[in-house]
C-alpha cells in the first residue's frame, strides 16, 4: 500500500444541499437594498454615508473580536454586514458618525460576539444596540429633531410621535397610501413599505426567513390595534396606521426573524410572532415609548428559549 | 443529487431511485487472484487464532476464527491458501481480523452444506448462512421472540438499487428463500417491502408492503412506524419488537443455496461512477474494489473519495484494496471536485434540520449539547436515541456542521460508558 493514492476520508453524508450561511446573509442584504435604495434617493449622500459606515464598522468590530478571541476570521459569512445593514436601516440619515461606531460596537461585540458569535446570541444584536442607543442618546435619533432640516414635500412629523402626542386626529392626517409609499419621515430603510414587503416576501419564498414569524407578527399588530380602535375609536389610531409606520415592517421581516433569537418550531414561531405584534401595539398605545417594536422583540427574544420547548414528540419517545 | 432550488419555502425532499423496467444484467467481475475477508473481533495475538497463515481453506468451509466466538464463523467464498492475517480498524475503532487468501486455480468445494441441506431447520440456516451475500442476521432467527420477518426489496440509501434489482429479477429464488425461511424458522408473518407501484404479481405467497419513495421512508424504524404501525421506542431495536429485517439479496441467496445445493457467494453491487451514472456488477465476496474499478474503467485520482454504501449513510474508505463485503450494496466513486466538506461553523439556529428530520428531533438544540460532549444530557433532554441516522440534517445544514458524525460519536460513547459501567458493577 506504499504507492497508494491518497483518498479523502470523511463522514456521511457525502452530499450537501448547497445552502450556506453566506448565501443567507447576502440574500438578506440584497432584499434589504429594496428598502435602502429609496432611502438613499430621499435623503441623499448622508444616508449613503450612514449605511456604508455602519456596515464597514460592523465588519471591522467582528474582525477585531476574531483577533482578540483568537478565532478564525468569520466576517466572510456576511453576518456582521447584515447587522450593519439592518442597524443603519433603522437610523435617521443625520445620525452622527460616532453613534454609528458605538452602535455597531454594541451590536457586534456586546450583542453577538461576547455570547460566542453567530448563533449564540440570545437577543437580536441590532436591537440590543438600538435599545442602548435609544436610551442613551435618544435625542439624536429622535426623527422629528434629526430630520428638521429636511423638507421632502410631505408631512415631516414622525407619525408615531404625532399619534402619541396628538391622538387619532393627527394619525388620520396620514393617508395609508402615503405611508406605504414611504411618504413619511423615519429611518433610512424603514419607511418605504413596499420595498420592505417585497424584500421580505423574497426572503420568505427563498426560505431564508420564516413566514410563520412574519405573518403572525403582522396579524398580532393588526388584531391588537383593531381591538384598541374598536374600544376607543377616538383615542387610538387605526390598525393600518400601525402596520405601515415606525419599525413595524422592518420588525416583521428583518428583526423578529433573526435566526438565533427566534424559535424554530411551528407553534412557538406563531406564539413568538404574535407576541411581538401584541407587545408592539401595547407599548405604542399605553406604554411610554412611541415605537414598541424594539422592546417588544427584545422581550420576546427573552422568552424564546422557553416557548421553543413546545415541540413535537420525537420518534419512539415514551411519555 | 438534488441541489438547492431557487424556492425554499418547503423542506427539501429527496427521492429514491426507482426503475420502471429491469436494468441490464450485472457485469461479471472475474475471479481475483487474492481476496480479503473481514471477521469481526480484535486480533490480540496471532497464536490465539484457530487459523494459521499458510493454511489451506475450501470454498464454503466453516472456519472458526476466535475461541469463544458465540457461534460466529467465517466462510471463504473461494478455495485457496491463507496468506496474511492482519488487523483492520474500522469506524469508531471497531476491530476486524482481515484475512487475505491467495485464490486457487482449481476450486475445491466443501461438501458439508450439500449433506446438511436435506433437512431444512433453524440449524441449517444458522450454520450456513452467516456469510452469504446480504449478510442476514441469522443469529436473530434462532431467537424465539422473533415473530415477524421483513424482507427489504429495496435499499435504505439513495442511488443504490441492488436489492430493488434482485427483487425484480430473481423472483423464483426469493420465493424459494421465503419457503425455506418459513420451514426453517416456523415464522409465518413474512412481508416483502417494495416501493410504491413497483411490483405486484410475481410474489403470491408473501404479503407485499409498499413504502413511499421519499427518503428515508425505507429505513426500518420508519417502516415499523408507518407500515407495521408499531413505533420502536428510544434506544430499542427492531428485534426487541420481535421483528427481523433481511435483505432481498440474502433471501435470494438462501433460496439459491437450497435449490442448487451449494452456497452462492456472488454479490451484486451498484457502482456509482464519478459522473453520477450507476451500473450493476456481480463480484465474489472479498474482491478488492480496485478490481471493479479496473473493469469499469474508473480512474482514481488523488483526493477522490470511495464510499461504501450510499451517499447519506455510507462510509468512506482510505484504500481501494478494501474488499466487497457481504453487505456492500453500493460503491460510490466521488470526484475530488464534487466532494462537499464540513466546516467548524457554529449552529445558526435556522431550524432547517428540524423541518427535515423524520424523527422530529430538535437537532438545533441537540447539536449544542453534542458539540460540548454532553452526551447524557443530549440523550435525556433532546432525544439522541430517537435518531435513525438518515443524515438529512447534515445534508441541509447551512453551517455545514457534521451533525451525523456528532450523533454517531455520542451514541458510541454512551454505549461504551454503559459497557464499562456494567463491567464495574
Amino acid at each position: 500500500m506504499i504507492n497508494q493514492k491518497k483518498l479523502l476520508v470523511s463522514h456521511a453524508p457525502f452530499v450537501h444541499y448547497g445552502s450556506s450561511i453566506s448565501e443567507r446573509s447576502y440574500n438578506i442584504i440584497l432584499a434589504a437594498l429594496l428598502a435602502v435604495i429609496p432611502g438613499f434617493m430621499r435623503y441623499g449622500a448622508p444616508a449613503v454615508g450612514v449605511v456604508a459606515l455602519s456596515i464597514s464598522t460592523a465588519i471591522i468590530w467582528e474582525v477585531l473580536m476574531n483577533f482578540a478571541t483568537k478565532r478564525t476570521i468569520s466576517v466572510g459569512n456576511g453576518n456582521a454586514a447584515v447587522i450593519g445593514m439592518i442597524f443603519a436601516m433603522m437610523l435617521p440619515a443625520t445620525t452622527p458618525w460616532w453613534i454609528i461606531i458605538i452602535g455597531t460596537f454594541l451590536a457586534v461585540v456586546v450583542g453577538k460576539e461576547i455570547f460566542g458569535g453567530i448563533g449564540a446570541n440570545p437577543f437580536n444584536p441590532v436591537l440590543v444596540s438600538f435599545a442602548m442607543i435609544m436610551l442613551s442618546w435618544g435625542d439624536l435619533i429622535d426623527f422629528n429633531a434629526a430630520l428638521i432640516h429636511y423638507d421632502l414635500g410631505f408631512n415631516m412629523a414622525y407619525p408615531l410621535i404625532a399619534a402619541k402626542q396628538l391622538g387619532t386626529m393627527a394619525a388620520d392626517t396620514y393617508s395609508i397610501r402615503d405611508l406605504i409609499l414611504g411618504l413619511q419621515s423615519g429611518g433610512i430603510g424603514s419607511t418605504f413599505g413596499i420595498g420592505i414587503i417585497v424584500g421580505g416576501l423574497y426572503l420568505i419564498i427563498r426560505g431564508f426567513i420564516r413566514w410563520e414569524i412574519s405573518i403572525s407578527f403582522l396579524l398580532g399588530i393588526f388584531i391588537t390595534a383593531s381591538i384598541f380602535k374598536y374600544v376607543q375609536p377616538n383615542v387610538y389610531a387605526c390598525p393600518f396606521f400601525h402596520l405601515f409606520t415606525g419599525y413595524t415592517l422592518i420588525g416583521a421581516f428583518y428583526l423578529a426573524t433573526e435566526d438565533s433569537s427566534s424559535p424554530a418550531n411551528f407553534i412557538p414561531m406563531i406564539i413568538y410572532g404574535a407576541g411581538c405584534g401584541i407587545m408592539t401595539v401595547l407599548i405604542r398605545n399605553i406604554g411610554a415609548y412611541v415605537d414598541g417594536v424594539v422592546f417588544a422583540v427584545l422581550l420576546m427574544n427573552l422568552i424564546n428559549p422557553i416557548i421553543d420547548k413546545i415541540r413535537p414528540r420525537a420518534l419512539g419517545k415514551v411519555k | 443529487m438534488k441541489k438547492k432550488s431557487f424556492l425554499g419555502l418547503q423542506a427539501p425532499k429527496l427521492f429514491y431511485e426507482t426503475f420502471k423496467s429491469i436494468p441490464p444484467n450485472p457485469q461479471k467481475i472475474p475471479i481475483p487472484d487474492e481476496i480479503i475477508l473481514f471477521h469481526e473481533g480484535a486480533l490480540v495475538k496471532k497464536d490465539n487464532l484457530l487459523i494459521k497463515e499458510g493454511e489451506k481453506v475450501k470454498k464454503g468451509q466453516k472456519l472458526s476464527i476466535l475461541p469463544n466466538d458465540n457461534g460466529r464463523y467465517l466462510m471463504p467464498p473461494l478455495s485457496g491458501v491463507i496468506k496474511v492475517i492482519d488487523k483492520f480498524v474500522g469506524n469508531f475503532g471497531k476491530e476486524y481480523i482481515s484475512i487475505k487468501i491467495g485464490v486457487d486455480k482449481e476450486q475445491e468445494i466443501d461438501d458439508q452444506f450439500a449433506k446438511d441441506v436435506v433437512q431444512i431447520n433453524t440449524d441449517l440456516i444458522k450454520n450456513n448462512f452467516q456469510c452469504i451475500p446480504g449478510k442476514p442476521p441469522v443469529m436473530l432467527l434462532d431467537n424465539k421472540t422473533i415473530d415477524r420477518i421483513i424482507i427489504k426489496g429495496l435499499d435504505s440509501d439513495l442511488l443504490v438499487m441492488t436489492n430493488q434489482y434482485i427483487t425484480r429479477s430473481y423472483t423464483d429464488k426469493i420465493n424459494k428463500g421465503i419457503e425455506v425461511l418459513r420451514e426453517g424458522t416456523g415464522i409465518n408473518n413474512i412481508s416483502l417491502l417494495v416501493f410504491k407501484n413497483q411490483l405486484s404479481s410475481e410474489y403470491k405467497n408473501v404479503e407485499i408492503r409498499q413504502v413511499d419513495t421519499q427518503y428515508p421512508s425505507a429505513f426500518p424504524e420508519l417502516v415499523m412506524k408507518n407500515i407495521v404501525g408499531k413505533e420502536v421506542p428510544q434506544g430499542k431495536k427492531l428485534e426487541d419488537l420481535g421483528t427481523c429485517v433481511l435483505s432481498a439479496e440474502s433471501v435470494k441467496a438462501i433460496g439459491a443455496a437450497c435449490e442448487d445445493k451449494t452456497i452462492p457467494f456472488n454479490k451484486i453491487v451498484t457502482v456509482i461512477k464519478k459522473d453520477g451514472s450507476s451500473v450493476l456488477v456481480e463480484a465474489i465476496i472479498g474482491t478488492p474494489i480496485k478490481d471493479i474499478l479496473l473493469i469499469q474503467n474508473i480512474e482514481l485520482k488523488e483526493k477522490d473519495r470511495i464510499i461504501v454504501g450510499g451517499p447519506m449513510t455510507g462510509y468512506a474508505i482510505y484504500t481501494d484494496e478494501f474488499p466487497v463485503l457481504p453487505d456492500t450494496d453500493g460503491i460510490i466513486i466521488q470526484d475530488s471536485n464534487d466532494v462537499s466538506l464540513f466546516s467548524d461553523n457554529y449552529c445558526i439556529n435556522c431550524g432547517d434540520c428540524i423541518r427535515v428530520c423524520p424523527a422530529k428531533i430538535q437537532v438545533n438544540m441537540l447539536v449544542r449539547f453534542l458539540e460540548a460532549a454532553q452526551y447524557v444530557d443530549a440523550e435525556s433532554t433532546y432525544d439522541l436515541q430517537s435518531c435513525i441516522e438518515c443524515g438529512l440534517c447534515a445534508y441541509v445544514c447551512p453551517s455545514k456542521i457534521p451533525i451525523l458524525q456528532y450523533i454517531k460519536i455520542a451514541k458510541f460513547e454512551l454505549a461504551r460508558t454503559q459497557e464499562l459501567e456494567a463491567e464495574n458493577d
Side-chain angles (χ1 to χ4, degrees), chain B residues 15-83:
Chain B
F15 290 94
Y16 287 109
E17 206 90 354
T18 52
F19 42 78
K20 292 274 173 290
S21 56
I22 301 172
N25 283 340
Q27 189 180 8
K28 281 211 163 124
I29 308 292
I31 291 176
D33 298 333
E34 281 179 345
I35 54 170
I36 299 165
L37 304 173
F38 283 171
H39 184 77
E40 224 174 275
L43 177 68
V44 186
K45 237 172 133 190
K46 279 189 191 173
D47 302 344
N48 294 349
L49 298 180
L50 301 173
I51 50 165
K52 299 272 170 294
E53 283 171 3
E55 208 174 292
K56 208 166 155 32
V57 291
K58 286 186 209 166
K59 176 178 178 175
Q61 182 187 354
K62 222 170 114 181
L63 293 178
S64 294
I65 307 290
L66 291 160
N68 310 323
D69 214 1
N70 298 327
R72 289 186 306 120
Y73 53 84
L74 193 67
M75 232 176 221
L78 292 168
S79 73
V81 179
I82 299 176
K83 277 184 164 174

Side-chain angles (χ1 to χ4, degrees), chain B residues 122-152:
Chain B
T122 323
D123 285 342
L124 175 87
I125 295 174
K126 203 171 72 178
N127 292 335
N128 295 288
F129 298 143
Q130 230 176 71
C131 303
I132 58 168
K135 207 175 182 184
V138 290
M139 304 300 274
L140 282 182
L141 293 174
D142 199 24
N143 190 340
K144 293 285 172 281
T145 57
I146 298 287
D147 59 1
R148 182 191 292 115
I149 294 177
I150 294 178
I151 301 168
K152 280 178 71 179

Side-chain angles (χ1 to χ4, degrees), chain A residues 4-6 8 10-12 14 16-17 19 71 119 204-206 210 259 265 311 313 315-317, chain B residues 3-4 6-8 231 234 300 303-305 311 320 334 346 349 359 362 368 382 386 395-397:
Chain A
Q4 264 283 308
K5 290 191 179 84
K6 287 186 188 68
L8 207 66
S10 62
H11 208 278
F14 300 101
H16 194 269
Y17 191 38
S19 55
R71 288 187 171 189
I204 287 174
I205 291 169
R206 294 290 313 270
R210 301 301 305 170
D259 284 324
N265 286 308
R311 58 187 182 183
R313 190 180 64 88
L315 183 75
K317 181 167 185 162
Chain B
K3 284 289 166 199
K4 196 171 188 305
F6 186 78
L7 301 180
E231 219 167 283
Q234 273 178 349
L300 204 60
K303 288 188 182 170
D304 284 353
R305 196 150 62 177
D320 57 1
Q334 200 174 37
Y346 313 107
N349 204 43
Q362 301 300 299
R368 286 168 165 76
Y382 284 105
S386 289
Y395 168 72
V396 299
C397 180

